[in-house]
Amino acid sequence: MNQYSVYPCNVNSMLKNISFKSRLFLMSLLSLLITTPTMAGWEVNYIDTFSGDSVNWQNWTAQVDANFNNEVQCYTDDDSSIDKNFDVSDGTLKIIARKQQTNCVGLNNQSRDWTSGRINGKDKREFLYGRIESRIRFHNLERGSWPAFWMLENRIAESPRKNDDDFVNWPNPGAGEIDVWEWFANSPSTYITNFFNTGGGSCGSEVRFAYPNGANDVLDWHDYAIEWDENNISFYMDDTLVTAHNVSNCPQYKEPMFVLLNVAMGGNLGGAIDPSLRKVTMEVDYLAHCSATNQNNAQRCNENTPAVYADDDNDGIENSLDQCPNTPSGESVDEKGCFEEIVNISPEVSLSITQNNVAVSSVDISGGLVTISANATDENADDILSYVWLISGTIPSPIIDGGLVSFDPSSMAGGNSYQVDLTVTDNGNPRLSVSSTIKFSVNNMPLDAGDDDERGKSSGGLFSYLLLLMLIVFRQKYLKQNMFN
């Protein structure tokens, strides 16, 4: 670090000792420094306008393993089936929650009565400071729904995981939360802006904003945004400043964050769901991030805001670098903006068996807890794996937890053999599966009273035989001695 010394001086004395031209130059420089304008507008760094007919997965990840707040839905990545939870059409994204029973792949096939969508920009689109804005409307007022536009710090221990220091638990530094717009149907005339962190009062607080026209306002389009810098975070709805917080002394919110968009059902805030409800929809026109600039006076961050760069085909590659400028929205592209086919590779799996944490090939009925473990890998890092176990024979009360099966063998019969099969399936396109089998036998069959009796009889017979043999040998020796006497 360089160290500088500063000495007091008298400006008038300095001006007397320099030439007129030098004085004129110095005064002009001082005037320039004083009149340099502050940042007055915004310019777009990134915007997803949800054009095309599918989610642009270059920008988003479907967080299908999310399971929080006692919510009842299963999050999926379905943007193509008749019952899809993501619908990109007519220039907007619709996140749709549907009343339908499903075995939730992302939650180890738990049964759920609702499906829905939750996307985040972690590791793909992350932002540090600026204006983050989204235009949203919600289609339903019935009880039980809980849509949100919110943000998390990017070191949180949630999927997708790159293992790039993303091991922090919510809401510690690196995993703090900001809720830009959080609405729930059990209190429909307000929405929530909020902070979750470990910094206390210096890091913001909850504010509930009352819609000017009551609950029906949520059915109309509104621009929800935050303006965020190192010292302040302000929340807006359209042109209205909802609230502002001084976070200059907050130890959090000084590192990149990513956006989440989702529709939850039930849970801590959603509450009881209207029994007549079958479908709810959150519609999003765009999601944008802007940086402050002195080059314009733009007050919003949207499609009409001047762009730092242009990306006409919305593939995540700036026009000046895009060698394939007409790539369809939602297609995977390489660094040149050209179509890149992602080949789904089948997962691999092997099985192992341990008893009391020691590797074994056969099971001792008195040896304690047995665990069969799946070691599954997938070269497609974004794939989520599901496990289906098939157990032959009678294994007492097996406990299945994802890639683990455990059981107590104490009541099993010795001498029998067992086989356990596992099928692992990924969620790639196409979905691929792989299977593995493990076989084991059970040793040390318990002894009953009948077995003891039989063994006693056998031992007694052998003893009698040996005693008779000894008597015969003794008699022969005795006879020989008498014959020679």
Side-chain angles (χ1 to χ4, degrees):
M1 178 181 293
N2 296 322
Q3 181 172 328
Y4 298 93
S5 297
V6 180
Y7 300 95
C9 65
N10 186 298
V11 174
N12 290 328
S13 176
M14 287 177 59
L15 291 175
K16 288 178 181 179
N17 293 311
I18 59 177
S19 67
F20 173 80
K21 288 184 178 179
S22 297
R23 279 186 284 166
L24 182 61
F25 172 76
L26 182 58
M27 296 302 292
S28 298
L29 181 60
L30 290 172
S31 175
L32 178 64
L33 291 173
I34 292 170
T35 59
T36 299
T38 58
M39 298 300 182
W42 300 102
E43 57 186 6
V44 174
N45 288 308
Y46 159 75
I47 186 168
D48 192 337
T49 58
F50 302 108
S51 57
D53 57 7
S54 63
V55 176
N56 185 345
W57 298 114
Q58 296 290 103
N59 297 333
W60 302 99
T61 295
Q63 196 174 349
V64 300
D65 58 346
N67 184 26
F68 304 105
N69 306 311
N70 300 308
E71 299 157 13
V72 302
Q73 77 287 330
C74 168
Y75 286 123
T76 82
D77 59 0
D78 188 353
D79 65 351
S80 59
S81 78
I82 191 171
D83 293 321
K84 57 192 171 187
N85 299 112
F86 300 101
D87 175 23
V88 176
S89 59
D90 301 320
T92 66
L93 164 69
K94 275 73 74 175
I95 301 178
I96 306 168
R98 298 179 185 273
K99 173 76 170 177
Q100 56 182 355
Q101 193 280 329
T102 185
N103 293 325
C104 191
V105 173
L107 300 179
N108 293 321
N109 292 316
Q110 290 183 25
S111 178
R112 294 294 173 100
D113 293 329
W114 282 82
T115 63
S116 189
R118 169 171 166 149
I119 53 176
N120 73 50
K122 185 170 184 271
D123 295 326
K124 296 180 178 179
R125 300 292 181 181
E126 298 177 344
F127 316 117
L128 178 62
Y129 306 142
R131 182 179 172 99
I132 298 96
E133 178 176 315
S134 187
R135 190 165 188 254
I136 298 171
R137 67 176 176 181
F138 198 64
H139 291 201
N140 304 82
L141 293 177
E142 297 92 338
R143 298 189 316 276
S145 58
W146 181 6
F149 158 34
W150 51 303
M151 302 170 65
L152 289 169
E153 290 178 304
N154 72 341
R155 292 188 292 120
I156 193 167
E158 289 190 18
S159 62
R161 297 285 293 276
K162 288 181 66 176
N163 296 324
D164 55 348
D165 196 28
D166 53 353
F167 306 109
V168 182
N169 292 323
W170 178 93
N172 293 299
E177 174 179 333
I178 299 176
D179 298 330
V180 185
W181 172 80
E182 185 176 31
W183 181 86
F184 56 103
N186 288 324
S187 181
S189 61
T190 65
Y191 78 85
I192 297 172
T193 67
N194 206 356
F195 298 82
F196 292 93
N197 50 69
T198 58
S202 65
C203 290
S205 59
E206 178 182 307
V207 171
R208 299 199 179 200
F209 178 76
Y211 279 113
N213 300 307
N216 285 332
D217 266 356
V218 79
L219 304 176
D220 297 328
W221 286 110
H222 293 286
D223 300 337
Y224 302 98
I226 66 166
E227 293 182 2
W228 166 35
D229 63 32
E230 187 177 10
N231 298 311
N232 296 280
I233 298 177
S234 301
F235 295 78
Y236 292 86
M237 187 187 81
D238 301 328
D239 294 319
T240 300
L241 174 63
V242 173
T243 184
H245 302 264
N246 183 329
V247 293
S248 56
N249 294 320
C250 176
Q252 295 187 229
Y253 311 126
K254 306 290 193 294
E255 56 187 293
M257 303 186 74
F258 60 90
V259 167
L260 302 93
L261 301 168
N262 72 288
V263 177
M265 297 300 298
N268 298 348
L269 281 185
I273 301 173
D274 188 321
S276 67
L277 196 57
R278 290 294 178 268
K279 183 177 82 168
V280 299
T281 304
M282 170 183 175
E283 188 170 6
V284 185
D285 187 18
Y286 62 85
L287 186 284
H289 170 249
C290 288
S291 297
T293 181
N294 59 8
Q295 301 300 310
N296 63 57
N297 295 314
Q299 297 302 300
R300 298 287 184 85
C301 181
N302 56 35
E303 296 160 281
N304 299 317
T305 306
V308 174
Y309 75 97
D311 178 19
D312 292 341
D313 59 359
N314 201 32
D315 63 358
I317 306 299
E318 185 178 354
N319 283 354
S320 62
L321 302 175
D322 198 340
Q323 297 181 18
C324 301
N326 297 311
T327 306
S329 178
E331 296 287 355
S332 296
V333 298
D334 59 21
E335 68 275 8
K336 298 178 181 179
C338 298
F339 175 76
E340 181 181 46
E341 183 178 1
I342 297 178
V343 179
N344 190 31
I345 299 173
S346 177
E348 297 181 358
V349 66
S350 61
L351 296 175
S352 61
I353 184 169
T354 60
Q355 188 164 25
N356 272 343
N357 298 317
V358 177
V360 296
S361 58
S362 59
V363 171
D364 185 340
I365 60 173
S366 61
L369 186 70
V370 176
T371 301
I372 299 174
S373 305
N375 178 25
T377 59
D378 194 324
E379 290 189 31
N380 302 103
D382 291 336
D383 280 0
I384 295 175
L385 303 180
S386 60
Y387 300 82
V388 176
W389 295 89
L390 178 63
I391 300 173
S392 65
T394 304
I395 291 181
S397 304
I399 299 173
I400 299 175
D401 183 10
L404 298 174
V405 173
S406 57
F407 60 91
D408 179 359
S410 60
S411 62
M412 299 174 72
N416 290 339
S417 296
Y418 297 84
Q419 177 174 316
V420 175
D421 299 289
L422 171 65
T423 299
V424 178
T425 304
D426 66 21
N427 66 333
N429 186 17
R431 295 180 185 271
L432 298 176
S433 297
V434 64
S435 297
S436 184
T437 298
I438 193 167
K439 298 178 180 180
F440 63 93
S441 59
V442 177
N443 300 326
N444 297 338
M445 184 172 65
L447 300 177
D448 57 25
D451 291 334
D452 287 338
D453 289 343
E454 291 298 324
R455 291 195 177 192
K457 291 176 183 177
S458 175
S459 299
L462 178 61
F463 178 78
S464 300
Y465 174 78
L466 291 174
L467 181 61
L468 177 62
L469 182 62
M470 290 174 64
L471 289 173
I472 292 172
V473 171
F474 177 79
R475 183 175 182 278
Q476 287 178 341
K477 184 176 181 181
Y478 175 79
L479 290 176
K480 287 182 179 179
Q481 288 177 344
N482 285 339
M483 288 176 62
F484 287 101
N485 289 329

